[in-house]
Amino acid sequence: MAAGIRGIRRPRPAGPGVTATPRPPLVRELLLVTALFLVYKFGRLFANGHETRAFHNADRVWDFERALHLPGEGTIQQLLLHGEGLVRAANTYYAAVHFPATLAFLAWLYWRRPAHYVWSRRTLALLTATALGLHLLLPLAPPRMLAATGLIDTAQVYGPSVYGATPETDSMANQFAAMPSLHFGWALMVAVGLIAATSSRWRFLWLLHPLLTLLVVVGTANHYWSDALAAAVLLGLALLVVPVPGRKTGPGTLVPLSPTTATVGALR
């Protein structure tokens, strides 16, 4: 029994200057990550041209949330509107943190935790691909466009804004790709990845990033609660599919773990 317990024990992290897993070729990874961001940026444009469906779906999502008695998105927006500086900070967070935080996350993992980097990059790629598929199947107008919500477009009113004044004049983004929220999905993966790849007793504080992102995307009326829920579900499915870094059970033997087991073990 003791040998069995030792066999499943979490391996000790590599010491300073030691890389347990070889890093993938840098040029190849730069190309892959760049492709991931380009697919995210421009792939959503293929869902344009479905305004009628997008607003119909928005009405259904809004009614669905009210049937579940979820708190109105307006509750969060009213908190932001208590001060112009606060709402501007939320708009800036929405516009400026999403991409840089994810890139910094991948860069750190690549340098310090190569095995977790590959796992995270694959998971993000799968999450993004499935999200883009849902954008095509379910075009959705964000709450800032739906009159029934009573919400304002905080970015247009207070700035800064990453979108054009109207969807018709916005040639760089599909404003009807609200479901799921990749802002939240990527932020949640950043937190999960850092918790799994580190051992600090403070690592759970990384969950503040997706929590703050959730409050920002809802409070600025860019997303419904349901958009974040859909992103969390897709991320959970991606984590079930993508192999995670395994544990050694013997000399030269590496047995992959199920995502659930590996995540629980990494969080201990």
Side-chain angles (χ1 to χ4, degrees), residues 247-267:
R247 295 177 182 174
K248 291 182 179 179
T249 57
T253 303
L254 189 66
V255 178
L257 304 172
S258 71
T260 302
T261 305
T263 302
V264 171
L267 296 179

Side-chain angles (χ1 to χ4, degrees), residues 48-157:
N48 274 331
H50 302 286
E51 289 82 357
T52 301
R53 286 177 56 202
F55 280 100
H56 176 67
N57 290 333
D59 286 327
R60 295 172 63 184
V61 167
W62 184 253
D63 291 341
F64 172 74
E65 290 188 352
R66 304 292 74 76
L68 293 180
H69 303 288
L70 293 179
E73 285 79 356
T75 303
I76 306 301
Q77 184 167 98
Q78 288 304 313
L79 293 176
L80 294 182
L81 293 177
H82 275 280
E84 185 171 335
L86 184 60
V87 70
R88 284 182 179 272
N91 292 335
T92 302
Y93 192 95
Y94 180 85
V97 173
H98 177 47
F99 283 109
T102 309
L103 285 175
F105 161 70
L106 290 173
W108 186 86
L109 287 182
Y110 178 85
W111 184 251
R112 299 296 300 272
R113 303 288 189 273
H116 285 86
Y117 162 78
V118 174
W119 166 61
S120 298
R121 187 251 292 154
R122 289 173 177 169
T123 303
L124 282 170
L126 182 57
L127 169 63
T128 303
T130 53
L132 290 176
L134 191 55
H135 291 160
L136 292 170
L137 293 173
L138 187 70
L140 182 68
R144 56 188 166 82
M145 293 185 183
L146 189 65
T149 67
L151 301 177
I152 66 171
D153 187 339
T154 61
Q156 290 294 335
V157 175

